[in-house]
């Protein structure tokens, strides 16, 4: 057996004993054994605090390679910044720290990792520090080169690492009290596995199954052709934080003084979340919320353009729960034209309609009532005085009923909105002139002549302007319909659309207690189901198909049974003329009309379902979503069907992890660019 074969056999047997080869053959062994050593391939990780515990998360392969190239470029790392995570985070190489770009977040430590040990409870690998990893690598290289193992090292934390052989390397935690009198730590306790390199450690994982990671996965499965043809890029999701600024105003301290000490956790949840609804209905805090949301949306958009100067895509927005209501109000109060803007600084400082610049004559001309201007001029009635006039005052001036109604509604609306001309949900034009049949009525069905406000009933605030026109507005688990109804809005004009946003999708889970529909406010006279969001695998969930199949089967059995009973009763009540009975029965069964009291269930269910489907497909739900349907409902999971109440709260938070929701969002966004799914969903 040659010396090389002997050495290879020792490695395969993982024998920790020194090599028995003689010194005369050392050079040959050194050369051959040295060729077995290969430098370790590093991978970059960052540390995140999860549940008060440090968790080391790998960068994806692309980001890790960029960080390694910056590390090995030979340039001074101080001041070197590498964007990662799609540009959402910057890694400062000199500091070895990772900073969020678009939002406030605690900075996290970054490491170039080569050596790991297995953690205590979660069995995840924890990287050693870069300096100690270098010591381990040098020791390992020497052990492989000289084929001398049983190497023992002590870490800066007094931990013991023993390299028995390439396949057996262990880590011992320091034992408390073992070195109180200066004695050295010993190998005590349960040994932990030591690993060199990231082989067999998943480094392209997404540790949080959130909206962004679900989106990336669906791109691979549903838009693969478009990606391969480089027709599309990924969709970036950037959060807008308005909750923290609201609760940093000192209101939390004031609330704490009046909060009862019992059921502390529930009251904390109430103060932290539910009370945001009340804040939004307060003029003081509503203005703070609106200003914060628009300011953040504009800041993030501007920063994104600065970091991505070649970006040519569109922007869509999504709101969850109360956030969707805030976005609805903001979009309702935008202006149709952004106008001529010279700089981004000007963009960020624009506030819409802070004053009323039209004269009384111009207002009357806008209302097509110019012939009455001379009357007001003669009576010395200006705009302020006109806003105080009553119906009787205008009647005494000789103004007819129709023009009186128009004038009173127009100027009272402008007065109530503190000079802000809001687009109305009742009219597609910019003039707040409702039809007589569309005026709000009181709850007892009588006409309320004092209440003519056809706005959205929100408190009077100044709505800042967005510096871009969103393509689509997605509302998840939204209470918009409920709030509009409570504000007194009876109906949304089918011709109404957002001034600056073309699309609107109201997406909800069927068990979400916070979600409400929108379409019945547009078409209140017709009852129809929302659009069912397809399963991301291209069909209905099996339990829903089974339920529908059982329903159809029970309806068929019922119809057949009723038909049989009807025929038997007719046969029983007829005269017994056997020769004529069958023909008479046939004629009467064809000619006899169904009684008017017959229930719809007695009609052929398949024909009815087809008719209903055709009616739903052709129903017009207005222009709020460009003529498309607005309400989209998710399919509940089989386990959720067992107890609706048990999964109610969970269903309100399901949207960020729902593949079906993400796929609908991606499908609608990419359709604006003429890109469609690889295979249409059934």
């Amino acid at each position: 057996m040659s010396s090389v074969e002997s050495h290879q056999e020792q490695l395969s047997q993982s024998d920790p004993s020194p090599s028995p080869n003689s010194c005369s053959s050392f050079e040959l062994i050194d050369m051959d054994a040295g060729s077995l050593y290969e430098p370790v391939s590093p991978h970059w990780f960052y540390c995140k605090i999860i549940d008060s515990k440090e968790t080391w998360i790998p960068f994806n392969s692309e980001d890790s390679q960029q960080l390694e190239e910056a590390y090995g470029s030979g340039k001074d790392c101080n001041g070197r910044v590498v964007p990662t995570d799609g540009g959402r985070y910057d890694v400062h190489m000199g500091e070895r720290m990772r900073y969020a770009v678009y939002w406030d977040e605690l900075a996290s430590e970054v490491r170039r990792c080569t050596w790991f040990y297995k953690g205590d409870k979660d069995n995840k690998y924890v990287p050693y520090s870069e300096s100690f990893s270098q010591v381990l690598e040098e020791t390992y290289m020497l052990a492989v080169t000289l084929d001398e193992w049983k190497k023992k090292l002590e870490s800066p934390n007094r931990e013991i690492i023993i390299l028995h052989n390439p396949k057996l390397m262990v880590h011992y935690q320091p034992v408390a009290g073992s070195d109180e009198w200066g004695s050295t730590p010993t190998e005590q306790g349960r040994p932990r596995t030591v690993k060199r390199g990231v082989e067999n450690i998943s480094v392209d994982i997404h540790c949080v199954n959130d909206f962004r990671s679900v989106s990336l996965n669906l791109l691979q499965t549903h838009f693969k052709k478009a990606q391969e043809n480089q027709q599309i890029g990924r969709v970036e999701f950037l959060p807008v934080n308005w909750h923290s600024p609201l609760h940093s105003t000192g209101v939390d301290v004031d609330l704490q003084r009046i909060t009862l000490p019992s059921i502390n956790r529930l009251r904390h949840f109430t103060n932290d979340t539910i009370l945001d609804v009340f804040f939004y209905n307060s003029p003081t805090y509503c203005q703070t919320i609106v200003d914060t949301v628009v300011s953040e949306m504009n800041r993030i958009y501007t920063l994104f353009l600065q970091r991505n100067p070649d970006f040519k895509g569109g922007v869509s927005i999504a709101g969850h729960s109360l956030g969707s209501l805030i976005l609805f109000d903001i979009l309702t109060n935008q202006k149709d034209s952004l106008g001529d803007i010279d700089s981004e600084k000007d963009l960020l400082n624009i506030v819409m309609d802070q004053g009323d610049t039209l004269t009384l004559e111009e207002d009357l001309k806008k209302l097509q009532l110019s012939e009455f201007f001379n009357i007001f001029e003669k009576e010395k009635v200006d705009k302020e005085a006109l806003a105080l006039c009553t119906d009787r005052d205008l009647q005494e001036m000789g103004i007819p009923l129709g023009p009186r109604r128009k004038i009173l509604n127009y100027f009272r609306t402008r007065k109530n909105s503190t000079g802000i001309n809001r687009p109305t949900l009742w009219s597609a034009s910019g003039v707040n002139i409702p039809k007589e049949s569309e005026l709000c009525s009181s709850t007892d069905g009588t006409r309320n002549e004092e209440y003519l406000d056809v706005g959205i009933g929100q408190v009077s605030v100044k709505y800042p302007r967005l510096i871009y026109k969103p393509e689509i507005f997605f509302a998840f688990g939204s209470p918009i319909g409920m709030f509009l109804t409570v504000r007194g809005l009876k109906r949304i004009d089918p011709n109404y659309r957002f001034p600056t946003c073309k699309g609107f999708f109201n997406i909800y889970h069927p068990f979400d207690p916070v979600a409400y529909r929108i379409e019945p406010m547009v078409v209140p006279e017709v009852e129809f189901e929302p659009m069912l969001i397809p399963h991301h695998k291209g069909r209905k969930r099996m339990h829903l198909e089974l339920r529908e199949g059982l329903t159809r089967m029970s309806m068929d059995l019922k119809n057949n049974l009723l038909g049989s009973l009807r025929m038997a009763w007719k046969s029983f009540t007829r005269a017994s003329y056997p020769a004529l009975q069958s023909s008479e029965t046939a004629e009467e069964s064809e000619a006899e009309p169904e009684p008017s009291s017959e229930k719809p269930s007695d009609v052929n269910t398949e024909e009815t379902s087809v008719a209903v489907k055709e009616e739903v497909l052709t129903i017009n739900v207005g222009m709020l979503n460009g003529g498309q349907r607005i309400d989209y409902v998710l399919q509940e999971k089989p386990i959720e069907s067992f107890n609706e109440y048990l999964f109610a709260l969970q269903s309100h938070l399901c949207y960020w992890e729902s593949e079906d929701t993400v796929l609908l969002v991606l499908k609608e966004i990419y359709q604006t660019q003429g890109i469609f799914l690889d295979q249409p969903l059934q």
Side-chain angles (χ1 to χ4, degrees), residues 138-157:
E138 292 173 353
T139 304
Y140 177 86
M141 180 182 66
L142 188 62
V144 170
T145 303
L146 301 179
D147 194 21
E148 294 179 356
W149 295 93
K150 277 282 186 182
K151 299 291 185 181
K152 182 185 294 187
L153 297 90
E154 181 179 339
S155 75
N157 298 329

Side-chain angles (χ1 to χ4, degrees), residues 64-180:
S64 180
Q65 183 177 354
Q66 289 183 354
L67 292 168
E68 185 63 20
E69 289 175 356
Y71 172 84
S73 63
K75 300 178 182 178
D76 186 9
C77 285
N78 292 329
R80 186 77 180 270
V81 178
V82 178
T84 63
D85 302 273
R88 297 183 299 277
Y89 291 88
D90 283 341
V91 172
H92 293 239
M93 296 294 293
E95 302 176 34
R96 290 294 199 272
M97 297 296 288
R98 174 177 176 264
Y99 297 92
V101 174
Y102 297 101
W103 56 86
D104 291 331
E105 182 180 310
L106 290 176
S108 52
E109 182 185 350
V110 172
R111 281 185 190 174
R112 180 179 183 266
C113 302
T114 52
W115 285 77
F116 307 82
Y117 68 91
K118 190 167 286 188
D120 186 15
K121 296 181 179 179
D122 53 12
N123 283 331
K124 291 182 179 179
Y125 282 100
V126 180
Y128 290 105
S129 67
E130 292 188 35
S131 57
F132 186 64
S133 293
Q134 187 174 354
V135 174
L136 285 169
E137 182 65 18
E138 292 173 353
T139 304
Y140 177 86
M141 180 182 66
L142 188 62
V144 170
T145 303
L146 301 179
D147 194 21
E148 294 179 356
W149 295 93
K150 277 282 186 182
K151 299 291 185 181
K152 182 185 294 187
L153 297 90
E154 181 179 339
S155 75
N157 298 329
R158 307 303 302 276
E159 299 158 332
I160 298 298
I161 294 89
I162 301 178
L163 310 183
H164 290 285
N165 59 59
K167 297 182 179 180
L168 180 59
M169 296 177 285
V170 293
H171 169 113
Y172 292 94
Q173 293 279 35
V175 179
S178 63
D179 59 343
E180 290 180 354

Side-chain angles (χ1 to χ4, degrees), residues 108-329:
S108 52
E109 182 185 350
V110 172
R111 281 185 190 174
R112 180 179 183 266
C113 302
T114 52
W115 285 77
F116 307 82
Y117 68 91
K118 190 167 286 188
D120 186 15
K121 296 181 179 179
D122 53 12
N123 283 331
K124 291 182 179 179
Y125 282 100
V126 180
Y128 290 105
S129 67
E130 292 188 35
S131 57
F132 186 64
S133 293
Q134 187 174 354
V135 174
L136 285 169
E137 182 65 18
E138 292 173 353
T139 304
Y140 177 86
M141 180 182 66
L142 188 62
V144 170
T145 303
L146 301 179
D147 194 21
E148 294 179 356
W149 295 93
K150 277 282 186 182
K151 299 291 185 181
K152 182 185 294 187
L153 297 90
E154 181 179 339
S155 75
N157 298 329
R158 307 303 302 276
E159 299 158 332
I160 298 298
I161 294 89
I162 301 178
L163 310 183
H164 290 285
N165 59 59
K167 297 182 179 180
L168 180 59
M169 296 177 285
V170 293
H171 169 113
Y172 292 94
Q173 293 279 35
V175 179
S178 63
D179 59 343
E180 290 180 354
W181 302 99
S183 60
T184 58
T186 57
E187 305 95 73
Q188 298 184 24
R190 183 174 62 86
R192 302 180 184 180
T193 303
V194 173
K195 193 171 190 324
R196 176 178 179 264
V198 294
E199 185 180 359
N200 298 326
I201 299 179
S202 178
V203 295
D204 280 324
I205 60 173
H206 297 280
C207 296
V208 181
N209 188 27
D210 59 5
F211 217 75
R212 186 179 295 108
S213 60
V214 173
S215 169
L216 293 174
N217 292 333
L218 289 175
L219 285 182
Q220 301 296 325
T221 57
H222 291 72
F223 295 92
K224 192 171 184 179
K225 291 182 180 178
Q227 274 201 317
E228 291 175 351
N229 297 333
Q230 297 183 345
Q231 294 176 286
I232 59 172
R234 62 184 174 85
V235 176
E236 181 60 275
F237 300 93
L238 300 175
V240 177
N241 180 24
W242 60 268
H243 185 268
S244 298
L246 173 65
H247 287 263
S248 63
T249 59
V251 68
D252 285 6
V253 178
D254 298 335
L255 283 174
Q256 191 60 38
R257 287 197 293 264
I258 61 175
T259 301
L260 301 181
S262 59
I263 52 173
N264 184 53
R265 291 186 179 180
L266 182 57
R267 295 189 192 279
H268 175 75
F269 172 78
T270 301
N271 289 353
D272 197 48
T273 55
I274 298 179
L275 285 184
D276 287 346
V277 175
F278 297 103
F279 288 151
Y280 190 59
N281 285 311
S282 161
T284 301
Y285 293 109
C286 181
Q287 187 69 63
T288 301
I289 292 173
V290 170
D291 289 344
T292 302
V293 170
V294 175
S295 175
E296 274 296 285
M297 293 174 72
N298 288 340
R299 182 189 67 83
I300 290 173
Y301 178 73
T302 303
L303 183 58
F304 181 83
L305 291 184
Q306 291 174 352
R307 296 174 63 88
N308 301 272
D310 298 328
F311 174 73
K312 294 182 177 62
V315 181
S316 294
I317 57 179
H320 176 245
S321 192
L322 179 61
S324 65
L325 176 65
I326 296 170
L327 289 179
F328 185 90
D329 289 340

Side-chain angles (χ1 to χ4, degrees), residues 243-507:
H243 185 268
S244 298
L246 173 65
H247 287 263
S248 63
T249 59
V251 68
D252 285 6
V253 178
D254 298 335
L255 283 174
Q256 191 60 38
R257 287 197 293 264
I258 61 175
T259 301
L260 301 181
S262 59
I263 52 173
N264 184 53
R265 291 186 179 180
L266 182 57
R267 295 189 192 279
H268 175 75
F269 172 78
T270 301
N271 289 353
D272 197 48
T273 55
I274 298 179
L275 285 184
D276 287 346
V277 175
F278 297 103
F279 288 151
Y280 190 59
N281 285 311
S282 161
T284 301
Y285 293 109
C286 181
Q287 187 69 63
T288 301
I289 292 173
V290 170
D291 289 344
T292 302
V293 170
V294 175
S295 175
E296 274 296 285
M297 293 174 72
N298 288 340
R299 182 189 67 83
I300 290 173
Y301 178 73
T302 303
L303 183 58
F304 181 83
L305 291 184
Q306 291 174 352
R307 296 174 63 88
N308 301 272
D310 298 328
F311 174 73
K312 294 182 177 62
V315 181
S316 294
I317 57 179
H320 176 245
S321 192
L322 179 61
S324 65
L325 176 65
I326 296 170
L327 289 179
F328 185 90
D329 289 340
I330 290 172
L331 289 178
T332 301
N333 288 277
Q334 295 297 294
K335 293 182 78 172
D336 187 25
S337 175
L338 293 178
D340 297 326
I341 301 169
D342 297 327
S343 66
E344 289 178 352
K345 182 178 180 181
D346 294 333
L347 287 174
L348 296 175
N349 293 327
I350 287 180
V351 178
M352 99 176 215
D353 281 350
Q354 294 192 15
D356 185 2
T357 58
L358 295 180
T359 64
L360 176 59
E361 185 176 8
E362 290 171 335
D363 278 328
L364 291 174
K365 184 178 180 181
K366 187 176 181 182
L367 294 174
Q368 298 180 348
L369 299 174
S370 300
E371 64 269 25
F372 299 105
F373 176 70
N374 292 333
I375 296 177
F376 293 125
E377 190 175 35
K378 179 181 178 181
E379 297 290 339
K380 297 183 179 179
V381 175
D382 57 11
K383 294 179 64 172
E384 288 74 14
L386 187 55
L388 299 173
C389 287
T390 65
D391 184 74
R392 183 180 295 275
D393 294 332
L394 297 183
Q395 187 177 5
E396 291 176 353
M397 295 182 198
I399 298 177
L401 175 62
R404 289 205 308 268
R405 284 289 182 86
K406 289 184 178 183
I407 293 170
L408 287 173
N409 171 65
Y410 182 72
F411 286 98
R412 282 179 181 175
T413 301
R414 297 181 73 83
K415 176 187 175 184
N416 292 337
S417 59
T418 62
I420 303 175
N421 180 17
R422 301 173 180 164
T424 173
L425 298 181
W426 294 73
S427 173
S429 67
V431 185
N432 296 345
I433 309 176
K435 298 177 183 177
E436 184 66 19
S437 60
E438 293 175 339
L439 294 176
C440 297
S441 60
S442 59
T443 55
D444 61 359
T446 60
R447 182 70 65 195
N448 183 352
E449 294 191 1
E450 293 300 321
Y451 181 64
L452 299 175
D453 184 7
V454 294
I456 58 175
Q458 174 62 322
V459 295
S460 296
V461 295
K462 294 181 179 179
Y463 285 89
R465 282 181 59 185
L466 292 171
I467 61 177
Y468 52 88
K469 294 183 178 181
E471 296 280 347
I472 305 173
F473 167 35
F474 298 98
F476 303 143
S478 171
I480 292 173
M482 182 268 289
F483 270 84
L484 293 181
T485 302
V486 171
R487 291 172 180 176
L489 191 69
K490 298 292 183 182
R491 187 188 180 200
I492 299 175
D493 191 314
N495 293 321
Y496 175 76
R497 64 182 69 188
F498 293 122
T500 60
C501 183
K502 299 176 182 177
F504 174 44
F505 290 83
N506 182 40
I507 301 169

